Amino acid sequence: MPRYEFRCRACGDTFEVNRPMAEAGRPATCPQGHADTVKLLSTVAFTGGRGGAGPVGGPPAPAGGGGCCGGACGC
């Protein structure tokens, strides 16, 4: 379930709320009970999505070959 970050304008507290995406725009009350809150823009970073095969967007992995030596000699 997505997590959304809010900041309370009354006390300055920053807090997170887990809710479905369909309810992303719904107002949130801060843990101190204040209703004057704003949703913050959060950033997300995905790293290592290729299982350690190198940097994303790097050169492609060499194609596997067949034969007796893995295809490097063209046999």
Side-chain angles (χ1 to χ4, degrees):
M1 185 170 308
R3 181 177 295 176
Y4 299 97
E5 191 173 21
F6 289 83
R7 176 169 292 138
C8 178
R9 290 182 180 168
C11 66
D13 192 19
T14 300
F15 60 97
E16 296 177 342
V17 176
N18 292 331
R19 59 171 62 156
M21 290 177 71
E23 299 177 15
R26 193 179 87 207
T29 302
C30 95
Q32 305 300 320
H34 305 119
D36 189 13
T37 60
V38 291
K39 190 168 112 178
L40 301 177
L41 178 62
S42 301
T43 58
V44 178
F46 294 98
T47 60
R50 290 179 47 188
V56 175
C68 62
C69 61
C73 66
C75 58

